Amino acid sequence: MSVPLREALKFWAKLGFISFGGPAGQIAVLHQELVEKRRWISERRFLHALNYCMLLPGPEAQQLVTYIGWLMHRTWGGVLAGTLFVLPSLFILIGLSWIYLTFGQVPWIAAIFFGIKPAVTAIVLHAAVRIGKRTIHNQALRWIALGSFLAIFIFNLAFPIIVIFAALLGIWGGKRYPEYFQQTASHDKVSGTHAAAIIDDHTPTPEHAKFSRKRLVLHSSVVTGLWLIPFIGLALIFGWKTLYPQIAWFFTKAAFLTFGGAYAVLPYVYQGAVDQFHWLSAGQMMDGLALGETTPGPLIMVVAFVGYLAGHIQHLIGNSNPFWFGVLGACVATWFTFLPSFFLVLVGGPLIESTHGKLSFTAPLTAISAAVVGVIANLGLFFAYHVFFPHGLGGSISWISIAITLLAGLALFKFQKGVISVLTGSALAGLLSHLLASLLI
């Protein structure tokens, strides 16, 4: 039994429109849809792919979608799955970026953002709990999660260092105490029996997912061409030291050099776009982060906002319509950010599939999964601090934000509401609070 490509593409396209909540929320949605509901892939195979994507530089949620699409429907399945996951957010962010620059800050839009930010806080904390429940199944892994949380919360340790320490601990622990580092999985129960997945724990690796030197050379050559041709074209059309080749080179480096997913990429993008190249101001970058948090698709799609603003602003003078320069900037930033992700999945996937079930490989990844739970929990608290204390500890407390976060958390944890309904309700709450404040003034 297999899933028809057409049915899979419908789901990947739908996912591009409903994947709110950043990478943690998106991974939770993927797990709920693919593992718990549709049974396209088993818990253990899902976590095996997730662990690999967590190790890669770039957006782990998009890489996980690409990986599962590739595993199910070969190379084109992976390419189409990863592309459909990104495209809706690209179009949405281009439109929002144009509105942002054309109409400026509109009070009611700011009120919607005000309501959504507490919901994002609750979604991230909820994702940390969900991922923790399925990855942390003994005391040793709990200590690793706690250690990673303290390392980043107290000592501000860089994410790659935490990953390295967790991996080394997993290698040692897998040899010394293998019972603590075994990957476990639980199937959904249907009528008292375990429901098997289409790609189950013991499903043989499909032929296209096995290592092949021919496919390695082919994929590498195609990706290199897809990078070189547009880069050289931009340089020839606009000049080597102009904006668009700079955007292409900068986001290529961001894609390869920043580990830890979207949240690790963002500080690097902020530093380069604001401090180094001055494509936009610090305030504009913060607004872009808010847009990235509240639109579907990968959080790192904020690169489209950065690219659009860079192209639009630089061509304001002497051009009657700078919109298309902004569109080009957004497309260039997106292309060169995500192209390496496809390369890493398609080239590395066969190696990862060959290690399925081998403790020497899975033990360090199990430890890394536990460490990632601590990092995500820290991120949730980081969001909470900035939402609850918008002016710092010395400023006033936003009691409305606390109330929205608690209600969003109640909806997620107790009533198991979906991400979209929680975000919609929180946005309406923010809008309502703005209207009430306007009436009281």
Side-chain angles (χ1 to χ4, degrees):
M1 184 175 66
S2 62
V3 180
L5 178 60
R6 180 177 295 182
E7 181 183 342
L9 292 181
K10 286 181 181 178
F11 171 73
W12 300 129
K14 172 189 170 185
L15 185 67
F17 286 100
I18 67 170
S19 54
F20 290 88
Q26 290 155 6
I27 290 169
V29 169
L30 274 170
H31 181 270
Q32 185 178 26
E33 288 286 339
L34 300 184
V35 178
E36 298 175 6
K37 183 179 177 182
R38 300 170 186 266
R39 302 299 297 152
W40 285 2
I41 188 168
S42 70
E43 177 93 7
R44 188 174 296 177
R45 296 289 281 264
F46 180 89
L47 289 177
H48 193 70
L50 173 60
N51 287 333
Y52 173 58
C53 296
M54 286 286 190
L55 281 175
L56 296 178
E60 65 266 38
Q62 186 266 349
Q63 290 163 340
L64 181 59
V65 167
T66 304
Y67 190 103
I68 296 174
W70 162 78
L71 195 58
M72 293 174 63
H73 295 109
R74 310 175 68 90
T75 300
W76 273 111
V79 170
L80 291 172
T83 302
L84 289 172
F85 187 63
V86 170
L87 274 184
S89 55
L90 173 61
F91 294 137
I92 291 169
L93 274 171
I94 286 175
L96 291 175
S97 301
W98 176 78
I99 292 171
Y100 175 81
L101 284 181
T102 305
F103 299 103
Q105 292 283 12
V106 178
W108 66 270
I109 293 179
I112 290 175
F113 285 166
F114 175 81
I116 286 176
K117 286 179 182 178
V120 172
T121 302
I123 289 167
V124 171
L125 291 172
H126 180 249
V129 172
R130 283 179 61 88
I131 295 173
K133 282 182 177 179
R134 70 172 186 264
T135 57
I136 301 175
H137 45 267
N138 58 58
Q139 194 61 39
L141 297 179
R142 292 189 192 99
W143 281 111
I144 292 174
L146 178 61
S148 73
F149 172 81
L150 295 175
I152 196 167
F153 182 78
I154 297 177
F155 301 106
N156 198 28
L157 206 63
F159 184 83
I161 296 176
I162 293 175
V163 168
I164 291 170
F165 272 112
L168 292 174
L169 191 59
I171 292 171
W172 174 79
K175 294 177 180 178
R176 189 75 182 268
Y177 305 102
E179 66 275 14
Y180 289 107
F181 293 88
Q182 297 279 359
Q183 288 186 330
T184 63
S186 59
H187 288 303
D188 289 332
K189 291 186 178 181
V190 180
S191 304
T193 60
H194 292 293
I198 292 173
I199 301 177
D200 209 28
D201 291 350
H202 304 294
T203 301
T205 301
E207 193 62 33
H208 71 269
K210 295 178 180 178
F211 178 78
S212 164
R213 184 173 280 105
K214 181 179 178 181
R215 277 196 293 267
L216 173 65
V217 173
L218 176 63
H219 289 153
S220 301
S221 301
V222 170
V223 171
T224 301
L226 291 174
W227 186 90
L228 273 176
I229 293 171
F231 184 82
I232 292 174
L234 290 170
L236 292 175
I237 294 170
F238 297 100
W240 286 100
K241 295 184 179 181
T242 57
L243 174 66
Y244 297 109
Q246 281 182 341
I247 291 176
W249 180 240
F250 173 73
F251 285 110
T252 297
K253 289 190 295 181
F256 276 112
L257 298 180
T258 47
F259 290 83
Y263 296 116
V265 176
L266 292 176
Y268 179 85
V269 173
Y270 180 95
Q271 186 180 35
V274 176
D275 297 333
Q276 182 181 353
F277 293 107
H278 308 291
W279 290 333
L280 64 169
S281 68
Q284 289 171 329
M285 186 67 194
M286 293 302 293
D287 291 334
L289 294 182
L291 285 174
E293 289 170 5
T294 54
T295 51
L299 179 58
I300 194 55
M301 279 305 297
V302 69
V303 302
F305 176 85
V306 173
Y308 181 91
L309 261 65
H312 186 115
I313 292 171
Q314 190 166 110
H315 293 87
L316 275 174
I317 301 172
N319 290 281
S320 58
N321 188 3
F323 170 77
W324 293 109
F325 291 99
V327 170
L328 178 60
C331 292
V332 169
T334 303
W335 179 269
F336 286 93
T337 297
F338 285 95
L339 185 62
S341 294
F342 289 102
F343 171 75
L344 292 169
V345 169
L346 294 176
V347 169
L351 172 64
I352 301 307
E353 281 301 303
S354 69
T355 61
H356 175 63
K358 295 182 180 178
L359 184 63
S360 59
F361 185 82
T362 60
L365 294 185
T366 299
I368 290 169
S369 293
V372 166
V373 173
V375 173
I376 295 174
N378 172 75
L379 182 70
L381 291 181
F382 175 82
F383 280 172
Y385 168 76
H386 284 279
V387 170
F388 299 163
F389 302 94
H391 305 293
L393 288 175
S396 59
I397 300 174
S398 177
W399 294 106
I400 296 175
S401 295
I402 293 176
I404 294 174
T405 301
L406 291 174
L407 290 172
L410 191 66
L412 289 165
F413 284 96
K414 184 172 179 59
F415 298 104
Q416 299 181 350
K417 294 295 183 181
V419 171
I420 292 180
S421 59
V422 170
L423 284 170
T424 302
S426 300
L428 291 174
L431 193 57
L432 181 62
S433 68
H434 169 70
L435 293 175
L436 289 174
S438 300
L439 292 173
L440 293 173
I441 294 177

